[in-house]
Amino acid sequence: MNEKSKVIFGNELSDKVYKKALKSKKKYIKKFGDDSNADYKIAIKDNEYIGKSLGVKNILLTDEKGDYDFDTEKGIIVGNIRMGFGHYRISMAMASCAKHLGYTPYWMDLNSYKQTTCTKVIGAQNDLYSLGSRLSKNPIFNKLVWEPMNYEGFRALSYNSADQKNAELMAPVYKNVPKDIPVIATHVWPAQAAIHAGMKNVVNAIPDNWPMALHLSEGSIHTIQCHNAYMGYRILNGMNGKNVCKPMPKESLVYTGHYIDHELVSNIEADCDARIARKKNKKPMRFLLTIGGAGAQKEIFAAIIKYLLPFIKEEKAALYVNVGDYRNVWEDLIKEIPDMKGLSTEHFNNWSDTESFAEKALDPNTYITGIHGFWHENIFEAVYCTNLLMRSCDVLVTKPSELAFYPVPKLFIKRVGKHEMWGAIHSAEIGDGTLECRDIPHTIQMIDMFLNEDDLLNDMCENIKVNKSIGIYDGAYKVVEIAMGMKK
């Protein structure tokens, strides 16, 4: 087996790059220790938050012998990390489709094992990424540091070299996991760690469609959501400066389509028809705002809410606001926009209330008005809340990240990281979202168009139905089938 930090898909890296990768690993060992010889026992428990809806069981690590009853015939591991909400949301899509196809999804969050070097290394890098995201509000930092790093820095094979070496420190968490159970990784680190640990059937579900070496995990099958990314990954385009790279083997790369939950895909026609009917009957247009905790775009969402307030009062618009697990974001918005308070219903930390609201909102006789705020302390509920609300909203307002691929009309606000740009481009090309609105005036212009015109929303809904008919939203089903098929 090739040294994965030295040779990547047949492309040999320089001694300088390799030594830098070794130095990176040594730095983390010095800071967090090396638990390569640890013997973490496995325990399996039902996920108390999404276990019922998605059939998910958590893989836990324990110092004592735990419940080790894997379903070795129907079991499939969804390996992930919490870095923002995106990788959790993609993991939920995989779990949803696995359950629908008759399999047992096991949730393995490598960022949740606090006693391990693995989690400490991921946490340190996550903290750096969150800091960069917050600092990106500064236009100088964004232009000179953040966008180049997210666009070209992560693109280089040299970056993958260091990641592969660091991922060796993450492998111990898989030690007592049966090696034949398929793993779907929704971030590259769980894929790399699984390969280093000797897992035999690994699918690396790449989240972005801007080809970057960051996402490479040699030894796994790589899946992508968009045709326009296929060639970039196949030839490792621009990943070694101006040098022509040896290509990825064709069996290592598969186009699948978008990673979407079964519950959303199976209801596309009904949900789009309901949107068209609400528009025709002049019911309040429902905007769903998903706001993260980094605060990089809070001023954009505040401007949107301020602009929509008169329309909300006149019952021409209604607003869902999901602040995830960041209650402070909601409180900051109320403080900045006092008029929100009297129009708002708070659905806070009460999952049954959230589920009840989401279900009621799907009833064609339900008339939604005002502002509905959602906050959940638990990360699973915080993320999945958006999925529940998505079905009954008319327009999802989001940055062009993982949500760019979801089958709902979308208004894209300014990106956080240049690699996200391609999510909006792809969505606009297939007709289910707007172009990226890179400032507040263009965002407001698009809101006006949604409110005052019928064609924009109706066309997106019809395009979504066409996209479904040709399998664009079937990616999660296909990833699960690929992973289970590897066993054969």
Side-chain angles (χ1 to χ4, degrees):
M1 180 185 296
N2 286 329
E3 161 62 85
K4 295 187 182 301
S5 293
K6 182 68 174 174
V7 180
I8 301 172
F9 290 113
N11 296 281
E12 188 168 352
L13 302 180
S14 68
D15 289 340
K16 181 180 178 180
V17 168
Y18 182 59
K19 287 176 182 177
K20 188 175 180 180
L22 292 173
K23 186 177 179 180
S24 177
K25 180 181 177 181
K26 288 177 182 176
K27 178 189 73 173
Y28 282 120
I29 291 175
K30 184 177 180 180
K31 189 171 183 180
F32 301 122
D34 185 353
D35 58 358
S36 298
N37 294 320
D39 188 24
Y40 296 116
K41 302 296 189 294
I42 298 293
I44 298 173
K45 293 185 179 179
D46 289 340
N47 185 301
E48 60 182 300
Y49 299 101
I50 57 172
K52 183 178 179 181
S53 53
L54 300 180
V56 171
K57 297 177 182 292
N58 288 342
I59 296 178
L60 307 176
L61 299 188
T62 176
D63 294 330
E64 302 175 359
K65 184 172 175 57
D67 176 8
Y68 193 72
D69 188 22
F70 275 103
D71 182 345
T72 54
E73 181 182 352
K74 294 287 188 177
I76 186 167
I77 292 172
V78 181
N80 57 68
I81 64 170
R82 180 190 172 175
M83 183 174 279
F85 287 173
H87 303 287
Y88 258 39
R89 194 182 312 284
I90 296 171
S91 294
M92 289 174 180
M94 300 301 179
S96 168
C97 290
K99 179 191 176 189
H100 172 70
L101 293 172
Y103 302 115
T104 302
Y106 294 104
W107 191 273
M108 191 170 185
D109 178 1
L110 272 63
N111 201 15
S112 68
Y113 306 135
K114 294 182 179 180
Q115 72 271 43
T116 69
T117 299
C118 169
T119 292
K120 292 169 185 174
V121 170
I122 291 172
Q125 295 185 78
N126 194 11
D127 289 344
L128 281 174
Y129 193 86
S130 294
L131 176 62
S133 180
R134 292 193 298 272
L135 292 176
S136 69
K137 289 188 290 185
N138 182 306
I140 296 175
F141 178 85
N142 191 55
K143 181 178 180 180
L144 298 181
V145 178
W146 191 242
E147 290 230 324
M149 174 57 72
N150 276 274
Y151 203 62
E152 294 295 344
F154 294 157
R155 189 184 185 192
L157 289 176
S158 57
Y159 191 92
N160 184 259
S161 173
D163 256 12
Q164 282 282 11
K165 189 54 65 175
N166 294 335
E168 293 174 3
L169 296 172
M170 304 175 192
V173 300
Y174 286 99
K175 183 172 184 177
N176 288 310
V177 177
K179 297 299 180 277
D180 286 334
I181 290 184
V183 176
I184 296 173
T186 59
H187 185 283
V188 71
W189 295 335
Q192 292 170 345
I195 295 295
H196 286 304
M199 300 298 292
K200 297 178 181 179
N201 306 302
V202 182
V203 175
N204 175 27
I206 295 174
D208 297 320
N209 64 330
W210 168 242
M212 297 187 287
L214 162 71
H215 293 303
L216 300 177
S217 176
E218 189 169 1
S220 62
I221 291 179
H222 299 66
T223 62
I224 53 170
Q225 300 186 81
C226 308
H227 284 297
N228 66 315
Y230 181 89
M231 192 55 68
Y233 274 109
R234 184 73 202 284
I235 67 172
L236 306 179
N237 189 43
M239 296 184 191
N240 194 16
K242 295 181 179 179
N243 297 323
V244 176
C245 293
K246 294 180 180 178
M248 290 177 66
K250 63 180 181 180
E251 62 271 14
S252 295
L253 184 65
V254 181
Y255 163 80
T256 59
H258 301 185
Y259 312 138
I260 308 297
D261 312 60
H262 168 70
E263 293 75 19
L264 293 169
V265 177
S266 60
N267 287 292
I268 280 176
E269 290 88 354
D271 294 344
C272 283
D273 288 343
R275 293 179 184 113
I276 293 170
R278 282 194 293 271
K279 186 68 173 171
K280 180 180 179 181
N281 295 323
K282 301 189 182 302
K283 291 186 176 181
M285 176 166 266
R286 304 169 180 179
F287 292 89
L288 168 57
L289 275 57
T290 63
I291 307 177
Q297 299 167 304
K298 196 158 52 179
E299 68 279 2
I300 301 175
F301 286 111
I304 291 170
I305 294 169
K306 288 176 184 176
Y307 184 79
L308 280 174
L309 277 178
F311 298 98
I312 294 170
K313 291 175 182 176
E314 296 171 6
E315 297 188 359
K316 293 180 179 179
L319 198 58
Y320 304 161
V321 182
N322 181 22
V323 295
D325 56 352
Y326 297 98
R327 184 168 182 166
N328 62 296
V329 172
W330 176 262
E331 292 169 348
D332 289 347
L333 287 170
I334 293 290
K335 189 181 297 182
E336 183 176 344
I337 314 169
D339 284 355
M340 276 182 67
K341 188 70 176 176
L343 296 167
S344 296
T345 302
E346 295 178 348
H347 306 265
F348 281 10
N349 226 25
N350 186 334
W351 188 242
S352 61
D353 173 54
T354 297
E355 287 185 311
S356 176
F357 175 87
E359 185 175 354
K360 186 178 179 182
L362 290 170
D363 186 330
N365 296 315
T366 298
Y367 193 81
I368 300 290
T369 60
I371 300 172
H372 295 267
F374 298 85
W375 163 75
H376 295 88
E377 191 172 14
N378 176 267
I379 178 63
F380 292 101
E381 294 173 346
V383 175
Y384 202 59
C385 175
T386 293
N387 292 43
L388 291 182
L389 298 173
M390 206 182 296
R391 287 194 54 201
S392 71
C393 81
D394 294 316
V395 180
L396 171 65
V397 182
T398 179
K399 68 188 182 81
S401 55
E402 87 289 345
L403 284 169
F405 300 94
Y406 276 71
V408 57
K410 293 171 291 288
L411 193 169
F412 292 118
I413 62 172
K414 183 181 178 183
R415 63 185 182 249
V416 179
K418 194 173 180 179
H419 63 295
E420 291 184 345
M421 170 177 72
W422 292 90
I425 292 172
H426 171 72
S427 179
E429 285 178 335
I430 65 172
D432 66 2
T434 70
L435 296 171
E436 178 190 350
C437 299
R438 296 181 182 174
D439 56 32
I440 290 172
H442 283 93
T443 305
I444 298 303
Q445 178 192 44
M446 200 59 69
I447 288 174
D448 268 338
M449 291 178 67
F450 273 116
L451 284 170
N452 297 317
E453 298 179 10
D454 292 346
D455 289 351
L456 187 60
L457 180 81
N458 293 348
D459 285 350
M460 286 187 185
C461 288
E462 295 298 339
N463 290 335
I464 289 168
K465 290 191 282 186
V466 170
N467 293 341
K468 181 191 175 181
S469 72
I470 58 176
I472 282 180
Y473 305 118
D474 288 346
Y477 301 109
K478 291 179 181 177
V479 170
V480 171
E481 289 167 352
I482 289 168
M484 296 305 296
M486 292 177 76
K487 291 179 68 175
K488 302 175 183 178

